[in-house]
Amino acid sequence: AQSVTQLDSHVSVSEGTPVLLRCNYSSSYSPSLFWYVQHPNKGLQLLLKYTSAATLVKGINGFEAEFKKSETSFHLTKPSAHMSDAAEYFCVVSGGFTGTASKLTFGTGTRLQVTL
Amino acid sequence: DVKVTQSSRYLVKRTGEKVFLECVQDMDHENMFWYRQDPGLGLRLIYFSYDVKMKEKGDIPEGYSVSREKKERFSLILESASTNQTSMYLCASSRTVLSGNTIYFGEGSWLTVV
């Protein structure tokens, strides 16, 4: 069984300040972990993914995430927020198989608001 | 770049109507998926297909069916639409079913059932 918990449903930061979006997971397997971003009325776009290589993963638009097995966490960070970062962010865990496909489990999302 | 295209972005249908949502991908991916997205619930898998004419139920298949007659096209069918199927529907595709493989999403179809 696997699950993912996004600890904050809404985060608000000022432009130019750091961003931290928190994600905890549980998995019976060695998981792969993803962060996706969704801008209003758009589909989901991959920001970054972890697949058992380096634990610090760099993604697009200056985002990065660190896989911490001991804490079962995969928090998303960015040193300096930009107005264009305002969107909804989803943490996703992938691992094990159900039927014929690796099972993906999505978090419920964190809405990031960036203010001037 | 992978492109997943959902031809209908916004639809309004009446209760009881049959609804088709179409999705096309251009990267020769084996796998295609239909998700439903609702506020506070995240994304929930309705059906996926790992090959032409092959399908497997996801977490919430009730009230839906799918069709995959060609590799690039995956259709979601609501046989008799109901108001509780008002939602955002996202199509996605991936090259393999292995853990760690990236899934690519379309821009979504907003369905309102009245």
Side-chain angles (χ1 to χ4, degrees), chain A residues 36 38 41 49 99-100 102 104, chain B residues 9 37 56 97 100 102-103 106:
Chain A
Y36 281 85
Q38 185 179 33
N41 300 318
K49 70 178 181 181
T100 53
S102 180
L104 282 181
Chain B
R9 292 297 316 277
Q37 183 178 15
E56 197 159 314
V97 296
T102 299
I103 288 190

Side-chain angles (χ1 to χ4, degrees), chain A residues 30-32 34 36 38 41-44 46 49 51 90 94-104 106-108, chain B residues 9-10 33 35 37 40-43 48 50 56 59 88 90 97-108 110:
Chain A
S30 295
S32 296
F34 305 77
Y36 281 85
Q38 185 179 33
N41 300 318
K42 297 289 188 181
L44 278 70
L46 180 69
K49 70 178 181 181
T51 57
F90 291 93
S94 171
F97 276 76
T98 58
T100 53
S102 180
K103 183 174 173 61
L104 282 181
F106 287 78
T108 52
Chain B
R9 292 297 316 277
Y10 302 95
F33 308 80
Y35 287 89
Q37 183 178 15
L41 296 177
L43 274 72
F48 74 93
Y50 49 92
E56 197 159 314
D59 298 319
M88 162 92 138
L90 286 164
V97 296
L98 296 176
S99 175
N101 202 250
T102 299
I103 288 190
Y104 298 89
F105 287 86
E107 295 208 325
W110 285 99

Side-chain angles (χ1 to χ4, degrees), chain A residues 7 21 25 27-28 40 52 54 56 62 65 67 70 73 77-78 81 84 86 88 93-94 108 110 112:
Chain A
L7 297 161
L21 304 183
Y25 72 91
S27 177
S28 304
S52 77
L56 182 62
F67 174 72
S70 61
S73 69
T77 60
K78 182 173 181 178
S84 60
E88 186 140 22
V93 61
S94 171
T108 52
T110 297
L112 176 65

Side-chain angles (χ1 to χ4, degrees), chain A residues 47-49 56-60 63-65:
Chain A
L47 274 180
L48 50 80
K49 70 178 181 181
L56 182 62
V57 182
K58 294 188 185 299
I60 62 171
F63 285 94
E64 63 181 38

